[in-house]
Amino acid sequence: MEEKLKKQRIGVYICHCGGNISDYVDVTQVKDLVKNEEGVIVSKNVMFACADSNQKEMVKDIQDGKLDAIVVASCSPKLHLHTFRNVAVRGGINAYNYTQVNIREQCSWAHSDTPAEATEKAIGLIRAGIIKVSNSEALETIEVSSTRAVVVIGAGVSGMRAAIDLAKMGNLVYLVEKEGKPGGNISRWGDLFISGKKGNDIVDALTRQIKEQSNVTLFTDAAINKVSGSLGNFNVEVKIGTEILNLKAGAILVATGFDSYRPADGMFGYNQFPSVTTLPEFKEWIDKNQGEKLVFNNRNIKSITYIYCVGMRETKGTNKYCSRVCCTSAIHNSIQVHEKFKDINVYHIYRDIRTYGKQEILFERSSKNGDIFLKYDEKLPPFVEQIGGKIMVKVKDELTRNQEFEFETDLVVLVTGMVPRHDSLELAGKLKIPVGNDKFFNEIHPKLRPVETVINGVFLGGSCQGPKNISESVQSSLAAAVKINALTKNPKIQLEPIIARVNFETCVWCGKCAEVCEYDAIHPLEMYGKTVASVNEATCKGCGICAPICPVDAIDIAQYSNAEIEGMIDGFMQLVELNIEGKIETTEEQGSSAGMNDLPQIWRRISASLEVAAKTIPALATELDLNTEMITYHLMTMNKYSLVEAEGLDDNDEYYFYKLKKL
Amino acid sequence: MEKKPKRPKILVFSTDKISDPGIDQAGLRKIHYSPSVYVISLPCSSGIKPRWVLHAIKQGFDGVFIAADGHECSYSQKCPEFTNAIIEESQRLMKENNINPKRIRMAAICSVCAEPFVNHMSNFSKILSEIE
């Protein structure tokens, strides 16, 4: 590195992770090698870096040794990044003068088959971490003030439920509904599975609860006109008729729901034959029908054919995804038909049935009702035609080796799924939130951050982010409500300072960075007699898209500067200069004797001790100067691998003796 | 003990939210891959600077692999487009420096793509071994 290292008092902590790392990586040798690195003044092995006792020791080291940066080589940063940032802060150094090196998921576990090379790699990874932290800058979190108010967009079941909880948690809630009344899709539905309640009853109950909350304001016939500001201080313009209302909010919850897929005219005879309808249309009709006979379009219905996956799971079409809820919905609907009307024959022509969890009960009930299930392949879809007023369905059934069935039916119900709302792209543009390939709103991560968007302060709830049933929708919106409250309850919100920074000396303002920024975070600024790029701290997401675009390399992302990244690369490569092979590789002779050198060092010590005589756990702990928990852990693992076995209890009938197992 | 095999050194640029958890998954499930693979995680693959790619190759890495988010990127739908542009620029720089442009490769790796990642490493290692 040409640049002078900035940090000169670095502490490095190499974790055993109770054997998860030290079983494969020779952590003692790693510690001995990295202590010679430039700037390192503390190099330690720790049994569990995340343990309270170790955290306290690290704090003491930082204070006693006046450390200016720390490196923890342990598990993935996804698990303990914030744990050790807090340790750094408690010790008195900046949270961003800390680097976590992943020597577990990306080293000891991934290379457990080659322990010597895993050790070699661990050294390279830690050296890179040391160089990175040497070049790290102290960063201050960005603090913004927050309004304890939330705008919830969409007063369907998800939006209403979240609004109630947000209000109960002490937030002022503005519930904005595009339609003339709240309820959304479920207000049109009758009996619901599993509760058996009617959609309208649920909506009425939620509406009553909203009325009881003095801090919820419901706006109907209201549309989002414009959104500006950022986390803590959003300005949301709502249009009601000709009137424009300005709402101030700390966060926004999007719960706009879905549209039902509408087949193209002629698809399976839709809008072509009067006896072809879609599931949502038929559901609504069934719920309203009070007669004893099933009559549809003046036709007495004695047989119904459901065709599944209409417009969904298209290999070549737009909707490649599975809508997940429509199988259950169709089967539930067929059960309702049987319950309301007698002697109806039902055919289900499906590609696959997805009735997960408790919904499997419905599938079983449907089978018991005597419904006939025929399975088709996407390439051989069923064919619907009308011959002389009769609806004929032709299908090749995979369950009977593609035997072709042709039968008459009185009604064809096309099982259609959920699609993004027709106006979702317009709203996505106003909120600057991304949409996925399926055009539903995109969360940051489906498992790790499922209700957050990349726009700080904008959250997702319900089926606006993908097909969900009612309980899943409510679960997600309530999760979002809790996340929102965690932000808004504090008058000041802390933001990650990992954002773009501009070198004003180099910048000549060409505008390319602003062109690619989708968050409108870069603007020109007059400074030192020239125009330069300026980054809005509150709206920059730190994605770094602007950095490689800059023709004069004037932009860096904090924590990912050229010095840090290129320094890490140098750290990986410096490994070739190390002469560690002789220390960690086994000789042929040693290797052939049960390969013990490939096993963790502690196992070698235990084996050596047990070779002399069988011992109890406390005896081993005393002899090897380790605590009994550690000995127990390793003996159990060695037992699992058939290296040791128990034999007889000690005189007090308290502890087993362990001995080496004869191979 | 067998002599340690010579393995191409690969630098992987992963992404914090999507592809790096996928690489973690490989380790979590003890699916082994070459220990000569080193990973640097960034917020988004669209933020990789071509100069870093060149630096890595010049410092001795045999290849650079970009484990991108593809269309799953939570920052931008144009992420694949931006990342492609970075690869093109990197390849231009590589050619200028008499480096075989095949030494850079990209694939979309998601948060559960443990096996695909390991397969990509294995295939890329083979490709790099064949480059003189």
Side-chain angles (χ1 to χ4, degrees), chain A residues 437-456:
Chain A
N437 269 353
D438 52 13
K439 305 290 181 248
F440 282 103
F441 298 133
N442 221 3
E443 65 286 315
I444 288 180
H445 191 281
K447 295 179 186 71
L448 306 177
R449 295 170 76 180
V451 294
E452 294 163 80
T453 70
V454 287
I455 302 296
N456 290 327

Side-chain angles (χ1 to χ4, degrees), chain A residues 28-94:
Chain A
T28 312
Q29 192 172 182
V30 173
K31 175 204 70 178
D32 292 341
L33 283 163
V34 300
K35 78 177 175 199
N36 301 321
E37 291 298 308
E38 190 180 348
V40 174
I41 62 161
V42 171
S43 175
K44 282 186 176 177
N45 284 137
V46 291
M47 196 50 70
F48 289 103
C50 54
D52 273 356
S53 54
N54 180 63
Q55 289 187 38
K56 281 177 190 156
E57 197 179 318
M58 286 172 74
V59 169
K60 191 170 181 302
D61 283 352
I62 295 168
Q63 289 166 346
D64 292 352
K66 297 195 169 30
L67 302 184
D68 55 9
I70 51 169
V71 172
V72 178
S74 58
C75 52
S76 171
K78 279 120 209 135
L79 298 170
H80 282 301
L81 182 78
H82 294 284
T83 308
F84 297 114
R85 273 189 186 168
N86 289 337
V87 168
V89 172
R90 291 205 300 276
I93 59 175
N94 186 277

Side-chain angles (χ1 to χ4, degrees), chain B:
Chain B
M1 178 117 182
E2 276 181 39
K3 203 178 168 188
K4 200 167 66 179
K6 176 104 178 101
R7 296 182 167 110
K9 262 187 184 298
I10 300 172
L11 176 66
V12 176
F13 283 112
S14 64
T15 64
D16 293 340
K17 288 167 190 155
I18 297 188
S19 65
D20 204 56
I23 298 170
D24 278 357
Q25 274 282 321
L28 193 69
R29 293 170 53 195
K30 307 265 172 72
I31 309 175
H32 298 133
Y33 54 90
S34 165
S36 299
V37 171
Y38 292 80
V39 182
I40 293 179
S41 184
L42 303 164
C44 175
S45 58
S46 304
I48 298 167
K49 290 188 181 177
R51 64 176 270 180
W52 300 342
V53 175
L54 193 66
H55 184 79
I57 304 284
K58 282 187 171 176
Q59 288 299 100
F61 272 100
D62 296 294
V64 173
F65 183 88
I66 298 180
D69 294 349
H71 290 287
E72 283 187 35
C73 178
S74 54
Y75 290 110
S76 170
Q77 265 200 297
K78 288 184 189 163
C79 181
E81 199 182 300
F82 290 133
T83 309
N84 270 331
I86 288 161
I87 288 184
E88 279 172 18
E89 176 60 12
S90 302
Q91 287 180 324
R92 191 190 64 74
L93 287 175
M94 287 158 90
K95 280 180 195 165
E96 260 181 29
N97 286 273
N98 294 319
I99 297 165
N100 191 327
K102 285 185 182 168
R103 291 189 185 277
I104 185 166
R105 209 170 164 82
M106 177 184 78
I109 300 288
C110 76
S111 57
V112 290
C113 280
E115 282 102 347
F117 171 73
V118 171
N119 292 338
H120 277 299
M121 289 304 99
S122 168
N123 293 338
F124 194 29
S125 288
K126 273 183 209 154
I127 291 166
L128 292 171
S129 302
E130 286 161 11
I131 297 173
E132 288 193 2

